[in-house]
Amino acid sequence: MKYSLVISTSVLLSTFTTTLAAPVNPPATAVAAAAADDTDEYIVVLAPTEKRPWAQVFTDLGYNMTSRTHAISVNKHTFGTNYGDLRTFGKEVRAFTTHMKGSDAASLSSLPGVLSIEKDVKWTVKVQRFNETYGTHNLKDNKWSFPAVKRQQDQMNQVVQQSTAPWNLGRISTAQPLVSNGREVIDLKFNYQFERSSGIGIDVYMLDSGINTQHVDFGGRAKMVFTAFGNDITDGHGHGTHTAGTVGSTTFGVAKNVNLLGVKVLDAQNQGSLSSFVAGVDFAVSSHMQRRSQPGFKGSIINMSLGGPGFSQPLFQALQRATQAGMHVAVAGGNDNTDSCQFSPAQFSQLLPIINVGASNVVDQRWEHSNYGKCIDIHAPGDGIVSTSNKGPQAMEPMSGTSMACPAVAGAMAVELLKNPNLDPAGLKQLILSKALNGVLQGVSGGNLLLNNGLRAIG
């Protein structure tokens, strides 16, 4: 049974108002109309100055805590601490989710200690299987083997060429359009030039459907660190394994030495709740803060190949905290062939130093389903992208979407961050955009940038 407020709104107002400090930012006004008074799940974000224990906060809110089980164990597989049907977030965000009526949500939103209240909506992340007749293939037929990185300083910037790369890697390391020369878009016959160091020591948090960590192409560098689904750390969809492969797998990855950290916020249907996304970002920030003092740490990146319609205040606040903590963020522009500014987190690129990515195809056109507009910072290859699959330890398959373009940018960010460790998120964003090819894409209005690593190979 879902928990609800046990005292009247008037009592709650008088109690809560006197115990919470004023918020840094004004509370969000977009809550359910009290007239409808439907019961729904909400995310309640408190002011950053609120530091009291959760039990005290909930007591002042008017929740009956005596009949509830207080601390269910918190570990890497949990969402937070549960108080009955209340569910809190982690260390970096003072927030919780609960079932309540629209009138209660409207009342809570006016309290000086509440930063924002928003319905906990569920988003489905769209992705296209490139060709269902292609199926999945195994890596055993691919002869490429990336030589192990040697950490001697004189080899860190050595350039390596891979001749068995997917087309997206070939395109981002050449200034010229790709010429087919008999190659199909899903062939692993393209040339990719990259630096041997290639993101070593960089942590990339993959907010997605999970990672098939047993895939041989990850070379033991991928692990699951968080899930919003109980103890389920599997990738039931394949979206997360695919995006992780484009960031940093041996064959398909832009940055072939990064640490791939799976943050599971999408289920087997590629669906996830807004609260899970916020909790995933919150976990990544907490982990980043801990990792900064550990040996070998070089920086943190968040890849978010996900999103949904409208402006989400809790998700904006979470990503704002991430960038303020020095984390670098790449987000997918969306696959609805419409204005990317209508979606979160894509539209945050106008307010935060994050990179919003649109998708292009193999002939340098905007991919037909890619979102567009002023909120798109850069494009990257996203149509018919071959990468790692969840279907086995050697499986690979092609997918299409801005979800496939976004991790290419995250990988490029990892490469540049290793060479420029002192860059803040705004500085790294500017560097990535400055190295891009300008004006080469067809069907793009406004900013016309295509991701490039500056090595200028022959694709």
Side-chain angles (χ1 to χ4, degrees):
M1 179 178 180
K2 291 294 182 183
Y3 206 61
S4 59
L5 293 174
V6 296
I7 58 176
S8 68
T9 301
S10 60
V11 176
L12 184 148
L13 282 166
S14 62
T15 302
F16 202 50
T17 302
T18 60
T19 55
L20 291 180
V24 175
N25 299 311
T29 57
V31 296
D37 219 18
D38 294 331
T39 299
D40 217 323
E41 193 84 6
Y42 287 85
I43 305 173
V44 183
V45 182
L46 304 183
T49 52
E50 171 53 49
K51 303 296 184 182
R52 293 173 304 132
W54 278 114
Q56 183 62 47
V57 171
F58 292 138
T59 297
D60 290 338
L61 271 171
Y63 285 91
N64 180 4
M65 305 304 298
T66 59
S67 62
R68 297 291 166 178
T69 301
H70 286 214
I72 296 177
S73 62
V74 180
N75 55 50
K76 68 178 181 179
H77 301 320
T78 61
F79 184 90
T81 302
N82 291 270
Y83 295 90
D85 292 310
L86 292 157
R87 186 167 62 167
T88 69
F89 289 67
K91 297 180 179 179
E92 304 303 323
V93 57
R94 300 289 289 171
F96 64 93
T97 61
T98 187
H99 240 61
M100 60 181 165
K101 294 181 178 180
S103 57
D104 290 330
S107 297
L108 281 176
S109 69
S110 66
L111 298 180
V114 174
L115 192 61
S116 67
I117 296 181
E118 191 170 313
K119 281 189 177 181
D120 189 11
V121 296
K122 179 173 284 189
W123 289 338
T124 300
V125 178
K126 298 179 181 179
V127 66
Q128 290 192 1
R129 308 285 180 178
F130 179 69
N131 186 340
E132 292 294 348
T133 62
Y134 176 88
T136 57
H137 290 238
N138 286 326
L139 276 169
K140 63 184 179 181
D141 299 323
N142 178 31
K143 306 302 182 183
W144 161 252
S145 178
F146 175 53
V149 174
K150 296 181 180 180
R151 288 171 170 75
Q152 288 88 344
Q153 189 63 38
D154 61 348
Q155 292 190 353
M156 290 298 284
N157 296 323
Q158 179 183 358
V159 174
V160 178
Q161 177 157 307
Q162 174 187 358
S163 61
T164 57
W167 82 264
N168 57 319
L169 298 191
R171 187 64 188 97
I172 69 170
S173 65
T174 181
Q176 303 302 319
L178 293 180
V179 178
S180 66
N181 290 331
R183 298 171 294 190
E184 299 291 335
V185 70
I186 54 178
D187 286 342
L188 300 181
K189 298 179 180 179
F190 295 85
N191 298 318
Y192 174 50
Q193 284 195 358
F194 60 97
E195 294 171 5
R196 180 185 288 273
S197 55
S198 194
I200 190 169
I202 304 295
D203 295 340
V204 184
Y205 294 87
M206 303 298 302
L207 269 70
D208 218 296
S209 63
I211 303 175
N212 173 14
T213 59
Q214 300 306 306
H215 201 291
V216 297
D217 216 47
F218 292 132
R221 291 175 292 104
K223 64 179 180 179
M224 292 299 300
V225 294
F226 174 92
T227 177
F229 302 95
N231 291 317
D232 181 8
I233 57 173
T234 62
D235 181 7
H237 183 275
H239 187 270
T241 300
H242 195 281
T243 57
T246 299
V247 172
S249 68
T250 298
T251 302
F252 313 102
V254 174
K256 300 181 186 293
N257 297 292
V258 295
N259 304 315
L260 295 163
L261 306 177
V263 179
K264 182 178 171 69
V265 295
L266 298 172
D267 61 18
Q269 288 71 49
N270 232 27
Q271 294 181 338
S273 65
L274 177 58
S275 61
S276 296
F277 301 156
V278 175
V281 174
D282 179 70
F283 172 87
V285 175
S286 296
S287 178
H288 164 75
M289 300 297 283
Q290 294 174 0
R291 287 275 294 144
R292 288 191 303 181
S293 61
Q294 296 177 2
F297 173 78
K298 299 297 183 181
S300 299
I301 293 168
I302 295 176
N303 186 88
M304 297 184 72
S305 290
L306 50 78
F311 185 92
S312 168
Q313 186 74 11
L315 188 56
F316 174 82
Q317 292 158 353
L319 288 175
Q320 185 178 50
R321 283 187 294 274
T323 56
Q324 289 172 346
M327 302 188 78
H328 307 269
V329 183
V331 303
N335 306 326
D336 295 279
N337 190 28
T338 190
D339 187 354
S340 186
C341 293
Q342 299 177 19
F343 297 84
S344 294
Q347 63 181 289
F348 302 162
S349 66
Q350 297 292 289
L351 301 169
L352 297 175
I354 67 176
I355 302 180
N356 181 22
V357 188
S360 61
N361 63 21
V362 72
V363 292
D364 287 352
Q365 298 171 336
R366 179 179 68 88
W367 179 56
E368 59 182 341
H369 299 292
S370 175
N371 285 351
Y372 51 82
K374 67 179 183 180
C375 289
I376 296 289
D377 295 305
I378 195 171
H379 292 77
D383 185 26
I385 306 304
V386 181
S387 187
T388 43
S389 170
N390 67 331
K391 296 180 174 64
Q394 294 184 316
M396 57 185 183
E397 63 179 320
M399 293 185 183
S400 298
T402 57
S403 286
M404 285 63 253
C406 179
V409 172
M413 293 167 75
V415 172
E416 297 301 330
L417 182 57
L418 178 62
K419 296 185 292 182
N420 303 276
N422 295 322
L423 284 180
D424 62 11
L428 183 60
K429 177 176 181 176
Q430 181 56 42
L431 178 60
I432 294 295
L433 300 187
S434 70
K435 298 186 75 166
L437 304 178
N438 193 357
V440 301
L441 294 175
Q442 305 172 47
V444 175
S445 58
N448 189 330
L449 297 178
L450 179 63
L451 180 67
N452 195 270
N453 67 6
L455 294 179
R456 307 297 196 253
I458 299 175

